[in-house]
Amino acid sequence: MTTTTTRIAIVTGAARGIGAGVAKRLAADGLAVAVVDLDEAAGKPVVEEIERAGGRAVALGIDVSDERAVRAGVARIAQELGAPTVLVNNAGILRDNLLFKMTADDWDAVMNVHLRGSFLMSREVQKHQLEARWGRIVNLSSTSALGNRGQANYSAAKAGVQGFTKTLAIELGKFGVTVNAIAPGFIETEMTAATAERIGVPFEELKKAAAAEIPVARTGTPEDIAHAVSFFVSEGAGFVSGQVLYVAGGPKA
């Protein structure tokens, strides 16, 4: 960090996958990190890893789609770590199905976590950012925002995240807050492994097929996304806002 003040970051969906990678990277960058997931215990191994490396972190269980839980959780983070001025909205779920098989519950569950969750967390954290006159919000979108078979709910939510990002960038910029989105391509996580299982394909086979379609000839890792988040969160990225960065191993529209 180039400042003398330790920044406090919140990463949602941080118990595993991309979120865990981001939490560990931000801690390595010198930020104190609130490792947020639905289950507090699930985040503790990530916290322990951060602490072993000399960082500072706490685990919290927050349902990001629950307004009261978000309000109470952010207040607890402010009390235990300090006022949070960095937010990474990463929490997400899949309820994939073709349109004619998709239930209203499948639709609502995905919208609630991805869109409502990003809204509630951002609204709560922006109070601290405005007080500090500095802040960073990074929202996780996806290449699925461009359309993906069997993901009408997820694609719509991830496209919505991009509009949400651009609007917050306009509203919050004058307060020293930047808001950007990262749209990952194929990343090796438990979520993509579960997708492979759902469609009946061995994970290694799915990764090999995906890599064959990616210009850099490999699939991504949580560390690839964490590196991009690290840039957006950095002090030097203060003139970059309202952007959607596709981290997918090749160009996307």
Side-chain angles (χ1 to χ4, degrees):
M1 299 284 295
T2 56
T3 61
T4 55
T5 304
T6 299
R7 304 289 189 193
I8 313 301
I10 299 174
V11 182
T12 67
R16 59 190 64 80
I18 289 172
V22 169
K24 288 183 275 189
R25 175 57 190 262
L26 293 184
D29 288 345
L31 288 81
V33 183
V35 175
V36 170
D37 214 282
L38 195 56
D39 176 26
E40 183 169 321
K44 287 189 174 172
V46 177
V47 169
E48 289 166 3
E49 189 172 340
I50 288 171
E51 289 176 340
R52 281 197 301 273
R56 192 158 66 99
V58 295
L60 282 91
I62 302 175
D63 177 352
V64 297
S65 68
D66 182 322
E67 189 171 10
R68 286 186 191 174
V70 166
R71 188 174 295 123
V74 172
R76 183 180 152 196
I77 290 164
Q79 186 175 25
E80 293 189 19
L81 282 181
T85 54
V86 173
L87 171 64
V88 181
N89 284 310
N90 168 74
I93 60 170
L94 293 177
R95 295 291 185 271
D96 295 351
N97 229 325
L98 295 174
L99 180 63
F100 77 99
K101 291 181 181 178
M102 188 173 288
T103 67
D105 285 345
D106 289 337
W107 179 272
D108 291 343
V110 169
M111 290 296 162
N112 282 341
V113 175
H114 292 272
L115 276 179
R116 179 181 168 89
S118 294
F119 156 66
L120 290 174
M121 289 297 300
S122 298
R123 189 181 64 177
E124 203 60 31
V125 170
Q126 60 88 30
K127 300 171 187 175
H128 298 285
Q129 294 173 325
L130 266 58
E131 190 173 322
R133 307 292 292 189
W134 188 95
R136 301 282 188 264
I137 297 175
V138 183
N139 297 317
L140 269 292
S141 180
S142 168
T143 53
S144 291
L146 303 172
N148 199 28
R149 178 180 170 83
Q151 290 194 317
N153 49 4
Y154 186 76
S155 296
K158 290 307 195 182
V161 163
Q162 296 189 14
F164 177 67
T165 296
K166 291 174 183 293
T167 299
L168 291 198
I170 293 166
E171 291 187 11
L172 300 179
K174 65 183 177 182
F175 302 106
V177 180
T178 67
V179 189
N180 292 285
I182 293 171
F186 191 107
I187 307 296
E188 299 168 16
T189 65
E190 289 179 22
M191 191 178 276
T192 47
T195 297
E197 187 176 347
R198 179 179 59 81
I199 63 177
V201 176
F203 191 34
E204 289 303 317
E205 195 175 308
L206 185 66
K207 288 195 292 184
K208 187 176 179 181
E213 301 295 321
I214 298 171
V216 299
R218 72 170 176 88
T219 50
T221 66
E223 289 73 27
D224 290 315
I225 306 306
H227 189 75
V229 173
S230 176
F231 164 70
F232 279 138
V233 168
S234 69
E235 301 289 336
F239 201 54
V240 182
S241 196
Q243 302 306 302
V244 179
L245 177 63
Y246 283 88
V247 182
K252 295 290 177 181

